[in-house]
Amino acid sequence: SLCLFSKRYQFMFTPANTTRRPLDLTSSAFLVIAFLTGTAGALQLPTLSLFLSSEVQARPFLVGMFYTGSAVIGIVVSQMLATRSDRQGDRKSLIFVCCLLGALACMLFAWNRNYFILLFIGVLLSSFGSTANPQLFALAREHADKTGREAAMFSSILRAQISLAWVVGPPIAFALALGFGFTTMYLTAAVVFILCGILVKLFLPSMPKAVEKTTSTLESPRRNRRDTLLLFVACTLMWTCNGIYLINMPLYLVHELHLPEKLAGIMMGVAAGLEIPVMLIAGYVAKRFGKRFLMRLAVASGLLFFGGLLVLDGEIALLALQALNAIFIGILAGIGMLYFQDLMPGQAGAATTLFTNTTRVGWIISGSLAGIVAEIWNYHAVFFFALLMIVGSIYCMWRIKDA
């Protein structure tokens, strides 16, 4: 699959006046590293709650607090590094260091079982490791701009690598954790991070910042700041809805619809698989239709998807709804980041991290909201609140003016 994406990338980004060009190792390295960083995350996150409850012996409340603390620390670390990377320094060096710290975090999780050490030290190191991904996308945007490539398609293909990693990563994570133990699983993730660091050091381009241009470049127009805030709120609400769905859906299927437990996994796998072509198509047509139009298409699909969840309860119908879910998340994940970068010229790192932080804030809100609503009413009622937030995101997207 990586080779196919690489060949497709070479075809689509070859300038019209060039009939033939050698294989671009730098672009191929971006694809491989994106897949590996996605795999490193996909090996850890799906089994985290199981690890905390079974290995660390944490109570359900402490498991929830761990997710909240992880999100808060991640936001602080990633935003701090993003601001620094936009003003000074080379992203390549930062990505390399983040990969090494991510590997250290995995080794700490492999051998330590103290809740508070994992929360404060492990999560801090993990936050640096997860920051490698948005910084990779920021460097990819700068590389595309410098070499005259089409940034939207390049970024969409990179984002598709993350989705591909999440198709194969969780099954491998559960197989390693349940078959060989969590120590083996986390050490495998550490090896992936180390491999990423080696590839970053050998193949990614070094693009130091020009200090004399910093002041003028980092200042965005006032209208862009307003639109950026609206986009931040819209994306946060959309990611909150996605978090509510991922948290609530398995419990809703089993406890209220009395459907097989495996259906939730099938639904998520189908959605992840469909997201890949959605991302590629969105990247291909972004220049023609515009990013604002595609983001509006995403929220419209989200409205239909969560509306469908409220009225449909059959297995076939729920599986069919995953097409709308794939459009919703595929465009949001692939185009949303590029829209932030367009609204924040010269601040690729801050823009990419700001988009990433909408995911983290969404998880903070969704984790609390899903539990409270389900506790007071039921799992079905949670989707009403998701639908209301989709309406809010539609309002924000329609307030953003065309560039």
Side-chain angles (χ1 to χ4, degrees), residues 361-374:
V361 176
W363 272 108
I364 294 174
I365 300 173
S366 62
S368 304
L369 186 62
I372 293 173
V373 174

Side-chain angles (χ1 to χ4, degrees), residues 239-252 256 306 361-386 389:
W239 284 120
T240 300
C241 293
N242 182 60
I244 285 175
Y245 170 73
L246 293 176
I247 294 170
N248 191 64
M249 176 52 68
L251 301 173
Y252 172 63
E256 293 188 13
F306 284 99
V361 176
W363 272 108
I364 294 174
I365 300 173
S366 62
S368 304
L369 186 62
I372 293 173
V373 174
E375 185 76 22
I376 298 176
W377 290 287
N378 53 41
Y379 294 113
H380 185 259
V382 177
F383 296 126
F384 278 105
F385 285 84
M389 284 186 284

Side-chain angles (χ1 to χ4, degrees), residues 31 43 68 112 186 362:
L31 299 180
L43 286 173
T68 301
N112 187 276
Y186 280 112

Side-chain angles (χ1 to χ4, degrees), residues 42-43 46-47 163-179 185 265 269:
L43 286 173
T47 58
S163 293
L164 182 62
W166 274 87
V167 171
V168 301
I172 295 175
F174 278 101
L176 290 173
L178 300 178
M185 188 204 72

